[in-house]
PDB file of all heavy atoms in Angstrom:
ATOM      1  N   ILE A 498      27.698  19.904 -40.011  1.00 85.00           N
ATOM      2  CA  ILE A 498      27.724  19.604 -41.512  1.00 85.00           C
ATOM      3  C   ILE A 498      29.014  19.052 -42.005  1.00 85.00           C
ATOM      4  O   ILE A 498      29.069  18.596 -43.125  1.00 85.00           O
ATOM      5  CB  ILE A 498      27.195  20.750 -42.241  1.00 85.00           C
ATOM      6  CG1 ILE A 498      28.035  21.919 -42.107  1.00 85.00           C
ATOM      7  CG2 ILE A 498      25.699  21.054 -41.971  1.00 85.00           C
ATOM      8  CD1 ILE A 498      27.787  23.115 -43.138  1.00 85.00           C
ATOM      9  N   SER A 499      30.005  19.127 -41.157  1.00 84.00           N
ATOM     10  CA  SER A 499      31.375  18.698 -41.641  1.00 84.00           C
ATOM     11  C   SER A 499      31.942  17.921 -40.420  1.00 84.00           C
ATOM     12  O   SER A 499      31.528  18.054 -39.271  1.00 84.00           O
ATOM     13  CB  SER A 499      32.277  19.843 -41.996  1.00 84.00           C
ATOM     14  OG  SER A 499      32.778  20.423 -40.947  1.00 84.00           O
ATOM     15  N   HIS A 500      33.040  17.148 -40.723  1.00 81.00           N
ATOM     16  CA  HIS A 500      33.718  16.379 -39.664  1.00 81.00           C
ATOM     17  C   HIS A 500      34.528  17.225 -38.708  1.00 81.00           C
ATOM     18  O   HIS A 500      34.936  16.802 -37.758  1.00 81.00           O
ATOM     19  CB  HIS A 500      34.599  15.249 -40.334  1.00 81.00           C
ATOM     20  CG  HIS A 500      33.850  14.231 -41.020  1.00 81.00           C
ATOM     21  ND1 HIS A 500      32.922  13.409 -40.361  1.00 81.00           N
ATOM     22  CD2 HIS A 500      33.826  13.969 -42.327  1.00 81.00           C
ATOM     23  CE1 HIS A 500      32.333  12.586 -41.339  1.00 81.00           C
ATOM     24  NE2 HIS A 500      32.905  12.938 -42.431  1.00 81.00           N
ATOM     25  N   ILE A 501      34.803  18.468 -39.074  1.00 85.00           N
ATOM     26  CA  ILE A 501      35.619  19.382 -38.364  1.00 85.00           C
ATOM     27  C   ILE A 501      34.791  20.288 -37.340  1.00 85.00           C
ATOM     28  O   ILE A 501      35.245  20.806 -36.364  1.00 85.00           O
ATOM     29  CB  ILE A 501      36.406  20.311 -39.191  1.00 85.00           C
ATOM     30  CG1 ILE A 501      37.738  20.823 -38.483  1.00 85.00           C
ATOM     31  CG2 ILE A 501      35.644  21.532 -39.752  1.00 85.00           C
ATOM     32  CD1 ILE A 501      38.700  21.402 -39.453  1.00 85.00           C
ATOM     33  N   ASP A 502      33.424  20.272 -37.492  1.00 86.00           N
ATOM     34  CA  ASP A 502      32.657  21.053 -36.587  1.00 86.00           C
ATOM     35  C   ASP A 502      32.661  20.653 -35.151  1.00 86.00           C
ATOM     36  O   ASP A 502      32.671  21.587 -34.322  1.00 86.00           O
ATOM     37  CB  ASP A 502      31.173  20.975 -37.114  1.00 86.00           C
ATOM     38  CG  ASP A 502      30.974  21.600 -38.427  1.00 86.00           C
ATOM     39  OD1 ASP A 502      31.772  22.477 -38.772  1.00 86.00           O
ATOM     40  OD2 ASP A 502      29.848  21.452 -39.115  1.00 86.00           O
ATOM     41  N   PRO A 503      32.814  19.357 -34.827  1.00 86.00           N
ATOM     42  CA  PRO A 503      33.041  19.038 -33.363  1.00 86.00           C
ATOM     43  C   PRO A 503      34.231  19.802 -32.730  1.00 86.00           C
ATOM     44  O   PRO A 503      34.314  20.182 -31.649  1.00 86.00           O
ATOM     45  CB  PRO A 503      33.107  17.633 -33.247  1.00 86.00           C
ATOM     46  CG  PRO A 503      32.316  17.105 -34.453  1.00 86.00           C
ATOM     47  CD  PRO A 503      32.636  18.131 -35.451  1.00 86.00           C
ATOM     48  N   LEU A 504      35.336  19.922 -33.587  1.00 88.00           N
ATOM     49  CA  LEU A 504      36.526  20.545 -33.107  1.00 88.00           C
ATOM     50  C   LEU A 504      36.340  22.073 -32.982  1.00 88.00           C
ATOM     51  O   LEU A 504      36.835  22.651 -32.094  1.00 88.00           O
ATOM     52  CB  LEU A 504      37.682  20.292 -34.126  1.00 88.00           C
ATOM     53  CG  LEU A 504      38.117  18.760 -34.254  1.00 88.00           C
ATOM     54  CD1 LEU A 504      39.148  18.618 -35.255  1.00 88.00           C
ATOM     55  CD2 LEU A 504      38.475  18.248 -32.902  1.00 88.00           C
ATOM     56  N   THR A 505      35.628  22.676 -33.834  1.00 89.00           N
ATOM     57  CA  THR A 505      35.327  24.100 -33.806  1.00 89.00           C
ATOM     58  C   THR A 505      34.434  24.378 -32.571  1.00 89.00           C
ATOM     59  O   THR A 505      34.519  25.361 -31.944  1.00 89.00           O
ATOM     60  CB  THR A 505      34.826  24.696 -35.041  1.00 89.00           C
ATOM     61  OG1 THR A 505      33.557  23.948 -35.446  1.00 89.00           O
ATOM     62  CG2 THR A 505      35.775  24.647 -36.194  1.00 89.00           C
ATOM     63  N   LEU A 506      33.420  23.457 -32.305  1.00 88.00           N
ATOM     64  CA  LEU A 506      32.675  23.631 -31.092  1.00 88.00           C
ATOM     65  C   LEU A 506      33.569  23.591 -29.855  1.00 88.00           C
ATOM     66  O   LEU A 506      33.300  24.373 -28.974  1.00 88.00           O
ATOM     67  CB  LEU A 506      31.619  22.510 -30.972  1.00 88.00           C
ATOM     68  CG  LEU A 506      30.792  22.418 -29.618  1.00 88.00           C
ATOM     69  CD1 LEU A 506      29.974  23.783 -29.533  1.00 88.00           C
ATOM     70  CD2 LEU A 506      29.938  21.233 -29.703  1.00 88.00           C
ATOM     71  N   ALA A 507      34.409  22.600 -29.777  1.00 88.00           N
ATOM     72  CA  ALA A 507      35.355  22.561 -28.546  1.00 88.00           C
ATOM     73  C   ALA A 507      36.100  23.735 -28.488  1.00 88.00           C
ATOM     74  O   ALA A 507      36.336  24.307 -27.363  1.00 88.00           O
ATOM     75  CB  ALA A 507      36.377  21.404 -28.815  1.00 88.00           C
ATOM     76  N   TRP A 508      36.533  24.422 -29.614  1.00 88.00           N
ATOM     77  CA  TRP A 508      37.303  25.613 -29.588  1.00 88.00           C
ATOM     78  C   TRP A 508      36.431  26.752 -29.021  1.00 88.00           C
ATOM     79  O   TRP A 508      36.996  27.562 -28.157  1.00 88.00           O
ATOM     80  CB  TRP A 508      37.799  25.940 -30.935  1.00 88.00           C
ATOM     81  CG  TRP A 508      38.668  27.189 -31.136  1.00 88.00           C
ATOM     82  CD1 TRP A 508      39.303  27.939 -30.175  1.00 88.00           C
ATOM     83  CD2 TRP A 508      39.056  27.709 -32.369  1.00 88.00           C
ATOM     84  NE1 TRP A 508      39.990  29.030 -30.811  1.00 88.00           N
ATOM     85  CE2 TRP A 508      39.900  28.848 -32.080  1.00 88.00           C
ATOM     86  CE3 TRP A 508      38.833  27.417 -33.717  1.00 88.00           C
ATOM     87  CZ2 TRP A 508      40.433  29.584 -33.044  1.00 88.00           C
ATOM     88  CZ3 TRP A 508      39.432  28.205 -34.689  1.00 88.00           C
ATOM     89  CH2 TRP A 508      40.206  29.377 -34.346  1.00 88.00           C
ATOM     90  N   LEU A 509      35.276  26.878 -29.438  1.00 88.00           N
ATOM     91  CA  LEU A 509      34.191  27.910 -29.025  1.00 88.00           C
ATOM     92  C   LEU A 509      34.169  27.772 -27.499  1.00 88.00           C
ATOM     93  O   LEU A 509      34.196  28.774 -26.760  1.00 88.00           O
ATOM     94  CB  LEU A 509      32.863  27.691 -29.690  1.00 88.00           C
ATOM     95  CG  LEU A 509      31.808  28.413 -28.939  1.00 88.00           C
ATOM     96  CD1 LEU A 509      31.834  30.035 -29.213  1.00 88.00           C
ATOM     97  CD2 LEU A 509      30.456  27.994 -29.482  1.00 88.00           C
ATOM     98  N   LEU A 510      33.851  26.553 -27.017  1.00 88.00           N
ATOM     99  CA  LEU A 510      33.673  26.307 -25.518  1.00 88.00           C
ATOM    100  C   LEU A 510      35.001  26.701 -24.828  1.00 88.00           C
ATOM    101  O   LEU A 510      34.972  27.331 -23.797  1.00 88.00           O
ATOM    102  CB  LEU A 510      33.224  24.942 -25.250  1.00 88.00           C
ATOM    103  CG  LEU A 510      31.858  24.689 -25.819  1.00 88.00           C
ATOM    104  CD1 LEU A 510      31.485  23.084 -25.613  1.00 88.00           C
ATOM    105  CD2 LEU A 510      30.831  25.400 -25.150  1.00 88.00           C
ATOM    106  N   TYR A 511      36.171  26.298 -25.265  1.00 87.00           N
ATOM    107  CA  TYR A 511      37.428  26.478 -24.695  1.00 87.00           C
ATOM    108  C   TYR A 511      37.732  28.038 -24.512  1.00 87.00           C
ATOM    109  O   TYR A 511      38.130  28.443 -23.518  1.00 87.00           O
ATOM    110  CB  TYR A 511      38.550  25.814 -25.548  1.00 87.00           C
ATOM    111  CG  TYR A 511      39.920  25.894 -24.803  1.00 87.00           C
ATOM    112  CD1 TYR A 511      40.233  24.996 -23.791  1.00 87.00           C
ATOM    113  CD2 TYR A 511      40.755  26.863 -25.348  1.00 87.00           C
ATOM    114  CE1 TYR A 511      41.515  25.038 -23.272  1.00 87.00           C
ATOM    115  CE2 TYR A 511      42.036  26.964 -24.706  1.00 87.00           C
ATOM    116  CZ  TYR A 511      42.368  26.045 -23.647  1.00 87.00           C
ATOM    117  OH  TYR A 511      43.627  26.096 -22.990  1.00 87.00           O
ATOM    118  N   ASP A 512      37.368  28.768 -25.624  1.00 86.00           N
ATOM    119  CA  ASP A 512      37.577  30.253 -25.676  1.00 86.00           C
ATOM    120  C   ASP A 512      36.627  30.926 -24.711  1.00 86.00           C
ATOM    121  O   ASP A 512      36.831  32.073 -24.389  1.00 86.00           O
ATOM    122  CB  ASP A 512      37.495  30.791 -27.052  1.00 86.00           C
ATOM    123  CG  ASP A 512      38.815  30.721 -27.727  1.00 86.00           C
ATOM    124  OD1 ASP A 512      39.806  30.169 -27.251  1.00 86.00           O
ATOM    125  OD2 ASP A 512      38.795  31.048 -28.945  1.00 86.00           O
ATOM    126  N   HIS A 513      35.543  30.253 -24.327  1.00 87.00           N
ATOM    127  CA  HIS A 513      34.615  30.818 -23.410  1.00 87.00           C
ATOM    128  C   HIS A 513      34.620  30.135 -22.001  1.00 87.00           C
ATOM    129  O   HIS A 513      33.774  30.179 -21.271  1.00 87.00           O
ATOM    130  CB  HIS A 513      33.297  30.715 -23.969  1.00 87.00           C
ATOM    131  CG  HIS A 513      33.078  31.699 -25.123  1.00 87.00           C
ATOM    132  ND1 HIS A 513      33.318  31.400 -26.326  1.00 87.00           N
ATOM    133  CD2 HIS A 513      32.598  32.945 -25.160  1.00 87.00           C
ATOM    134  CE1 HIS A 513      33.160  32.398 -27.193  1.00 87.00           C
ATOM    135  NE2 HIS A 513      32.731  33.382 -26.428  1.00 87.00           N
ATOM    136  N   GLY A 514      35.860  29.605 -21.579  1.00 87.00           N
ATOM    137  CA  GLY A 514      36.091  29.151 -20.332  1.00 87.00           C
ATOM    138  C   GLY A 514      35.574  27.717 -19.969  1.00 87.00           C
ATOM    139  O   GLY A 514      35.676  27.458 -18.730  1.00 87.00           O
ATOM    140  N   ARG A 515      35.290  26.919 -20.949  1.00 88.00           N
ATOM    141  CA  ARG A 515      34.782  25.570 -20.595  1.00 88.00           C
ATOM    142  C   ARG A 515      35.700  24.545 -21.326  1.00 88.00           C
ATOM    143  O   ARG A 515      36.181  24.718 -22.358  1.00 88.00           O
ATOM    144  CB  ARG A 515      33.322  25.483 -21.165  1.00 88.00           C
ATOM    145  CG  ARG A 515      32.263  26.409 -20.566  1.00 88.00           C
ATOM    146  CD  ARG A 515      32.161  26.228 -18.997  1.00 88.00           C
ATOM    147  NE  ARG A 515      31.710  24.989 -18.632  1.00 88.00           N
ATOM    148  CZ  ARG A 515      30.481  24.853 -18.118  1.00 88.00           C
ATOM    149  NH1 ARG A 515      29.684  25.720 -17.946  1.00 88.00           N
ATOM    150  NH2 ARG A 515      30.174  23.553 -17.674  1.00 88.00           N
ATOM    151  N   LEU A 516      35.697  23.327 -20.675  1.00 87.00           N
ATOM    152  CA  LEU A 516      36.358  22.163 -21.259  1.00 87.00           C
ATOM    153  C   LEU A 516      35.197  21.306 -21.778  1.00 87.00           C
ATOM    154  O   LEU A 516      34.278  21.092 -21.138  1.00 87.00           O
ATOM    155  CB  LEU A 516      37.165  21.478 -20.258  1.00 87.00           C
ATOM    156  CG  LEU A 516      38.442  22.178 -19.772  1.00 87.00           C
ATOM    157  CD1 LEU A 516      39.219  21.401 -18.746  1.00 87.00           C
ATOM    158  CD2 LEU A 516      39.355  22.549 -20.861  1.00 87.00           C
ATOM    159  N   VAL A 517      35.390  20.768 -23.021  1.00 86.00           N
ATOM    160  CA  VAL A 517      34.323  19.979 -23.548  1.00 86.00           C
ATOM    161  C   VAL A 517      34.379  18.509 -23.313  1.00 86.00           C
ATOM    162  O   VAL A 517      35.443  18.050 -23.054  1.00 86.00           O
ATOM    163  CB  VAL A 517      34.360  20.260 -25.123  1.00 86.00           C
ATOM    164  CG1 VAL A 517      35.587  19.585 -25.827  1.00 86.00           C
ATOM    165  CG2 VAL A 517      33.165  19.735 -25.876  1.00 86.00           C
ATOM    166  N   ARG A 518      33.306  17.917 -23.055  1.00 84.00           N
ATOM    167  CA  ARG A 518      33.145  16.450 -23.037  1.00 84.00           C
ATOM    168  C   ARG A 518      32.083  16.094 -24.131  1.00 84.00           C
ATOM    169  O   ARG A 518      31.063  16.663 -24.130  1.00 84.00           O
ATOM    170  CB  ARG A 518      32.706  16.062 -21.600  1.00 84.00           C
ATOM    171  CG  ARG A 518      33.279  16.581 -20.406  1.00 84.00           C
ATOM    172  CD  ARG A 518      34.772  16.102 -20.358  1.00 84.00           C
ATOM    173  NE  ARG A 518      35.387  16.331 -19.051  1.00 84.00           N
ATOM    174  CZ  ARG A 518      35.793  17.455 -18.584  1.00 84.00           C
ATOM    175  NH1 ARG A 518      35.724  18.577 -19.284  1.00 84.00           N
ATOM    176  NH2 ARG A 518      36.551  17.469 -17.480  1.00 84.00           N
ATOM    177  N   TYR A 519      32.479  15.037 -24.790  1.00 80.00           N
ATOM    178  CA  TYR A 519      31.643  14.598 -25.915  1.00 80.00           C
ATOM    179  C   TYR A 519      30.894  13.283 -25.537  1.00 80.00           C
ATOM    180  O   TYR A 519      31.343  12.398 -24.767  1.00 80.00           O
ATOM    181  CB  TYR A 519      32.380  14.275 -27.214  1.00 80.00           C
ATOM    182  CG  TYR A 519      32.854  15.438 -27.940  1.00 80.00           C
ATOM    183  CD1 TYR A 519      34.303  15.757 -27.886  1.00 80.00           C
ATOM    184  CD2 TYR A 519      32.130  16.335 -28.491  1.00 80.00           C
ATOM    185  CE1 TYR A 519      34.831  16.827 -28.530  1.00 80.00           C
ATOM    186  CE2 TYR A 519      32.673  17.514 -29.178  1.00 80.00           C
ATOM    187  CZ  TYR A 519      33.985  17.801 -29.103  1.00 80.00           C
ATOM    188  OH  TYR A 519      34.422  18.838 -29.697  1.00 80.00           O
ATOM    189  N   MET A 520      29.633  13.174 -26.021  1.00 80.00           N
ATOM    190  CA  MET A 520      29.014  11.958 -25.918  1.00 80.00           C
ATOM    191  C   MET A 520      29.188  11.261 -27.341  1.00 80.00           C
ATOM    192  O   MET A 520      29.091  11.963 -28.361  1.00 80.00           O
ATOM    193  CB  MET A 520      27.349  12.184 -25.866  1.00 80.00           C
ATOM    194  CG  MET A 520      27.079  12.689 -24.481  1.00 80.00           C
ATOM    195  SD  MET A 520      25.397  13.112 -24.160  1.00 80.00           S
ATOM    196  CE  MET A 520      24.612  11.499 -24.553  1.00 80.00           C
ATOM    197  N   ALA A 521      29.559  10.027 -27.352  1.00 80.00           N
ATOM    198  CA  ALA A 521      29.888   9.370 -28.738  1.00 80.00           C
ATOM    199  C   ALA A 521      28.991   8.199 -28.829  1.00 80.00           C
ATOM    200  O   ALA A 521      28.647   7.522 -27.948  1.00 80.00           O
ATOM    201  CB  ALA A 521      31.431   9.002 -28.644  1.00 80.00           C
ATOM    202  N   LYS A 522      28.720   7.969 -30.193  1.00 83.00           N
ATOM    203  CA  LYS A 522      27.930   6.777 -30.449  1.00 83.00           C
ATOM    204  C   LYS A 522      28.756   5.437 -30.369  1.00 83.00           C
ATOM    205  O   LYS A 522      29.957   5.536 -30.525  1.00 83.00           O
ATOM    206  CB  LYS A 522      27.244   6.961 -31.745  1.00 83.00           C
ATOM    207  CG  LYS A 522      28.080   6.968 -32.965  1.00 83.00           C
ATOM    208  CD  LYS A 522      27.352   7.268 -34.254  1.00 83.00           C
ATOM    209  CE  LYS A 522      28.181   7.202 -35.426  1.00 83.00           C
ATOM    210  NZ  LYS A 522      27.382   7.292 -36.691  1.00 83.00           N
ATOM    211  N   GLN A 523      28.030   4.438 -30.112  1.00 88.00           N
ATOM    212  CA  GLN A 523      28.700   3.088 -29.943  1.00 88.00           C
ATOM    213  C   GLN A 523      29.603   2.619 -31.034  1.00 88.00           C
ATOM    214  O   GLN A 523      30.751   2.117 -30.810  1.00 88.00           O
ATOM    215  CB  GLN A 523      27.614   2.017 -29.716  1.00 88.00           C
ATOM    216  CG  GLN A 523      28.251   0.594 -29.360  1.00 88.00           C
ATOM    217  CD  GLN A 523      29.013   0.542 -28.194  1.00 88.00           C
ATOM    218  OE1 GLN A 523      28.763   1.218 -27.173  1.00 88.00           O
ATOM    219  NE2 GLN A 523      30.158  -0.336 -28.251  1.00 88.00           N
ATOM    220  N   ALA A 524      29.288   3.020 -32.330  1.00 86.00           N
ATOM    221  CA  ALA A 524      30.026   2.679 -33.494  1.00 86.00           C
ATOM    222  C   ALA A 524      31.485   3.063 -33.424  1.00 86.00           C
ATOM    223  O   ALA A 524      32.422   2.399 -33.884  1.00 86.00           O
ATOM    224  CB  ALA A 524      29.372   3.140 -34.722  1.00 86.00           C
ATOM    225  N   LEU A 525      31.759   4.280 -32.777  1.00 81.00           N
ATOM    226  CA  LEU A 525      33.121   4.727 -32.583  1.00 81.00           C
ATOM    227  C   LEU A 525      33.943   3.842 -31.759  1.00 81.00           C
ATOM    228  O   LEU A 525      35.213   3.818 -31.989  1.00 81.00           O
ATOM    229  CB  LEU A 525      33.088   6.191 -32.090  1.00 81.00           C
ATOM    230  CG  LEU A 525      32.487   7.275 -33.042  1.00 81.00           C
ATOM    231  CD1 LEU A 525      32.457   8.572 -32.330  1.00 81.00           C
ATOM    232  CD2 LEU A 525      33.269   7.361 -34.264  1.00 81.00           C
ATOM    233  N   PHE A 526      33.358   3.159 -30.886  1.00 86.00           N
ATOM    234  CA  PHE A 526      34.055   2.275 -29.870  1.00 86.00           C
ATOM    235  C   PHE A 526      34.379   0.921 -30.514  1.00 86.00           C
ATOM    236  O   PHE A 526      35.020   0.096 -29.849  1.00 86.00           O
ATOM    237  CB  PHE A 526      33.334   2.119 -28.605  1.00 86.00           C
ATOM    238  CG  PHE A 526      33.307   3.377 -27.774  1.00 86.00           C
ATOM    239  CD1 PHE A 526      32.247   4.226 -27.889  1.00 86.00           C
ATOM    240  CD2 PHE A 526      34.441   3.752 -26.892  1.00 86.00           C
ATOM    241  CE1 PHE A 526      32.144   5.450 -27.118  1.00 86.00           C
ATOM    242  CE2 PHE A 526      34.321   4.993 -26.240  1.00 86.00           C
ATOM    243  CZ  PHE A 526      33.237   5.792 -26.400  1.00 86.00           C
ATOM    244  N   GLU A 527      33.812   0.599 -31.695  1.00 87.00           N
ATOM    245  CA  GLU A 527      34.078  -0.612 -32.296  1.00 87.00           C
ATOM    246  C   GLU A 527      35.228  -0.673 -33.285  1.00 87.00           C
ATOM    247  O   GLU A 527      35.689  -1.774 -33.666  1.00 87.00           O
ATOM    248  CB  GLU A 527      32.740  -1.052 -33.063  1.00 87.00           C
ATOM    249  CG  GLU A 527      31.546  -1.308 -32.100  1.00 87.00           C
ATOM    250  CD  GLU A 527      30.338  -1.451 -32.778  1.00 87.00           C
ATOM    251  OE1 GLU A 527      30.184  -1.360 -33.973  1.00 87.00           O
ATOM    252  OE2 GLU A 527      29.293  -1.591 -32.027  1.00 87.00           O
ATOM    253  N   VAL A 528      35.777   0.539 -33.555  1.00 86.00           N
ATOM    254  CA  VAL A 528      37.015   0.628 -34.372  1.00 86.00           C
ATOM    255  C   VAL A 528      38.148   0.736 -33.470  1.00 86.00           C
ATOM    256  O   VAL A 528      38.223   1.593 -32.666  1.00 86.00           O
ATOM    257  CB  VAL A 528      37.007   1.844 -35.340  1.00 86.00           C
ATOM    258  CG1 VAL A 528      38.224   1.983 -36.200  1.00 86.00           C
ATOM    259  CG2 VAL A 528      35.662   1.781 -36.153  1.00 86.00           C
ATOM    260  N   PRO A 529      39.026  -0.190 -33.497  1.00 86.00           N
ATOM    261  CA  PRO A 529      40.155  -0.331 -32.546  1.00 86.00           C
ATOM    262  C   PRO A 529      40.939   1.004 -32.276  1.00 86.00           C
ATOM    263  O   PRO A 529      41.214   1.439 -31.204  1.00 86.00           O
ATOM    264  CB  PRO A 529      41.131  -1.427 -32.938  1.00 86.00           C
ATOM    265  CG  PRO A 529      40.230  -2.304 -33.833  1.00 86.00           C
ATOM    266  CD  PRO A 529      39.222  -1.306 -34.493  1.00 86.00           C
ATOM    267  N   VAL A 530      41.406   1.579 -33.452  1.00 86.00           N
ATOM    268  CA  VAL A 530      42.159   2.864 -33.312  1.00 86.00           C
ATOM    269  C   VAL A 530      41.351   3.875 -32.720  1.00 86.00           C
ATOM    270  O   VAL A 530      41.782   4.603 -31.842  1.00 86.00           O
ATOM    271  CB  VAL A 530      42.801   3.362 -34.671  1.00 86.00           C
ATOM    272  CG1 VAL A 530      43.437   4.561 -34.629  1.00 86.00           C
ATOM    273  CG2 VAL A 530      43.763   2.226 -35.199  1.00 86.00           C
ATOM    274  N   LEU A 531      40.167   4.140 -33.279  1.00 80.00           N
ATOM    275  CA  LEU A 531      39.294   5.207 -32.663  1.00 80.00           C
ATOM    276  C   LEU A 531      38.900   4.960 -31.243  1.00 80.00           C
ATOM    277  O   LEU A 531      38.652   5.836 -30.503  1.00 80.00           O
ATOM    278  CB  LEU A 531      37.881   5.355 -33.551  1.00 80.00           C
ATOM    279  CG  LEU A 531      38.186   5.967 -34.873  1.00 80.00           C
ATOM    280  CD1 LEU A 531      36.852   5.982 -35.644  1.00 80.00           C
ATOM    281  CD2 LEU A 531      38.570   7.430 -34.668  1.00 80.00           C
ATOM    282  N   LYS A 532      38.704   3.712 -30.901  1.00 82.00           N
ATOM    283  CA  LYS A 532      38.309   3.357 -29.464  1.00 82.00           C
ATOM    284  C   LYS A 532      39.374   3.982 -28.571  1.00 82.00           C
ATOM    285  O   LYS A 532      38.984   4.511 -27.460  1.00 82.00           O
ATOM    286  CB  LYS A 532      38.246   1.915 -29.287  1.00 82.00           C
ATOM    287  CG  LYS A 532      37.886   1.442 -28.060  1.00 82.00           C
ATOM    288  CD  LYS A 532      37.807  -0.134 -28.042  1.00 82.00           C
ATOM    289  CE  LYS A 532      37.450  -0.719 -26.568  1.00 82.00           C
ATOM    290  NZ  LYS A 532      37.392  -2.107 -26.562  1.00 82.00           N
ATOM    291  N   ARG A 533      40.655   3.900 -28.791  1.00 81.00           N
ATOM    292  CA  ARG A 533      41.713   4.324 -27.902  1.00 81.00           C
ATOM    293  C   ARG A 533      41.691   5.810 -27.899  1.00 81.00           C
ATOM    294  O   ARG A 533      41.921   6.387 -26.792  1.00 81.00           O
ATOM    295  CB  ARG A 533      43.110   3.838 -28.443  1.00 81.00           C
ATOM    296  CG  ARG A 533      43.274   2.336 -28.312  1.00 81.00           C
ATOM    297  CD  ARG A 533      44.641   1.893 -28.647  1.00 81.00           C
ATOM    298  NE  ARG A 533      45.545   2.533 -27.546  1.00 81.00           N
ATOM    299  CZ  ARG A 533      46.233   1.565 -26.748  1.00 81.00           C
ATOM    300  NH1 ARG A 533      46.116   0.295 -26.907  1.00 81.00           N
ATOM    301  NH2 ARG A 533      46.940   2.150 -25.891  1.00 81.00           N
TER     302      ARG A 533
END
């Protein structure tokens, strides 16, 4: 429900021994700074 929730999910997984990998929608790759 917020833009910070993916970061808190990564923190949950990290604290439970996993490294997170995200699936991202195509629109994120169309913004030059976000693409990098």
Side-chain angles (χ1 to χ4, degrees):
I498 57 173
S499 76
H500 295 297
I501 205 165
D502 289 344
L504 297 175
T505 56
L506 171 65
W508 185 11
L509 166 75
L510 294 174
Y511 185 82
D512 276 357
H513 288 86
R515 300 299 297 250
L516 294 178
V517 69
R518 307 292 194 286
Y519 289 109
M520 291 176 58
K522 63 183 185 176
Q523 181 62 35
L525 294 176
F526 292 95
E527 294 170 359
V528 179
V530 175
L531 283 177
K532 180 179 180 179
R533 295 186 70 116

